[in-house]
Amino acid sequence: MSARSVLVTAGASGIGLAIAEVFAARGDRVIVCDVDQAALDRAADQVKGLIGIRADVADPAAVAAMIADTGPIAVLVNNAGVAGPVGGVETNDPDDWARCFAVNVHGAFHMIRAVVPAMRAAGAGTIINISTASTVTGLPGRSAYVASKWAIEGLTRTLARELGPAGIRVNAIRPGFMDTERMRGIMARIAAQSGRTVPEVEGEALGYISMRTKIQPSEIGEMAWFFASDAAHHITGQIIGVDGNAEWEG
């Protein structure tokens, strides 16, 4: 497979950086955008050849300027997302709700809208959207986040039909209980709030996962690589969980 231009949003850390690492290690030209310049600098030191661009995907002008600079993109990974407001829906701040959709949904739209013309011209392209296993389980207190990811899954299925005739494939990944710094922070916060230990909180969460396992960020990278590979050249409109089969969330 020849080198391609791959763009990963929110790619300076966590799942996004893991995805970028997989593609870069296999010879692709990898660009990551992020709002955190310090994280972009660290990522550039960590991954040889990585191109970092500071941009907020919720800003359509910033997205358009970025794509004008990068040139045609063969593989787009829409990973950017924010957690949104936490708590009962009646307590959610409307501005926090709107920001969640501005990044998670509108950001993906801005990115797709910007890269599709060149993909159409090339007669090929791959778009990979990052969703969440919580769309399967539902998650009380996280209505904005889960609703935004449902929107991403609807966009995935619809664009697979819309863009398929142009040779552009659109799929999504549902990550599960991730072994990341962010998830470790969530477990620590829940433990502190509930008066339990972190292992107790993690054990309860893993009890709702069939394989009783956390997911490594690199596993999401490998699934993204597969979706972008020749082996998946007839796979589109699919939403795949990399989650050990998330049965439920408490």
Side-chain angles (χ1 to χ4, degrees):
M1 183 184 298
S2 59
R4 304 160 296 185
S5 289
V6 179
L7 197 159
V8 183
T9 67
S13 62
I15 290 173
L17 182 57
I19 294 169
E21 287 177 316
V22 169
F23 281 90
R26 295 171 187 174
D28 285 314
R29 171 179 179 256
V30 181
I31 304 140
V32 300
C33 73
D34 209 291
V35 294
D36 186 338
Q37 185 61 54
L40 283 167
D41 293 340
R42 290 192 298 271
D45 290 338
Q46 182 175 332
V47 182
K48 183 179 179 181
L50 191 72
I51 300 167
I53 300 175
R54 188 175 184 277
D56 182 353
V57 298
D59 179 352
V63 168
M66 175 173 60
I67 298 305
D69 286 343
T70 64
I73 298 298
V75 180
L76 169 65
V77 182
N78 280 314
N79 172 65
V82 297
V86 177
V89 66
E90 73 278 11
T91 71
N92 288 181
D93 181 83
D95 290 339
D96 292 342
W97 179 283
R99 177 61 181 171
C100 184
F101 273 75
V103 176
N104 299 10
V105 183
H106 303 165
F109 161 70
H110 298 322
M111 292 299 307
I112 292 167
R113 182 173 179 270
V115 304
V116 158
M119 289 183 176
R120 283 190 185 277
T126 301
I127 297 168
I128 301 161
N129 298 319
I130 304 300
S131 183
T132 174
S134 294
T135 59
V136 177
T137 63
L139 188 56
R142 300 294 304 281
S143 56
Y145 180 74
V146 177
S148 74
K149 292 301 187 177
W150 265 113
I152 284 293
E153 294 189 6
L155 187 65
T156 298
R157 289 194 169 101
T158 297
L159 290 184
R161 290 190 63 187
E162 179 178 322
L163 301 177
I168 302 168
R169 300 184 297 105
V170 189
N171 294 291
I173 302 170
R174 290 173 176 156
F177 183 177
M178 299 304 302
D179 188 12
T180 60
E181 183 177 347
R182 175 178 173 274
M183 184 59 76
R184 287 188 286 273
I186 291 172
M187 293 293 104
R189 185 181 71 243
I190 294 173
Q193 291 172 345
S194 63
R196 293 178 290 167
T197 67
V198 170
E200 287 172 337
V201 173
E202 288 189 348
E204 180 181 51
L206 290 171
Y208 293 114
I209 297 170
S210 300
M211 296 188 73
R212 308 294 193 261
T213 185
K214 300 178 191 177
I215 305 301
Q216 298 303 313
S218 61
E219 296 179 71
I220 309 302
E222 293 291 348
M223 179 54 74
W225 169 264
F226 169 72
F227 272 144
S229 73
D230 290 342
H233 71 287
H234 283 153
I235 298 178
T236 193
Q238 302 306 303
I239 300 168
I240 302 296
V242 182
D243 59 5
N245 191 38
E247 302 166 6
W248 194 249
E249 289 180 90

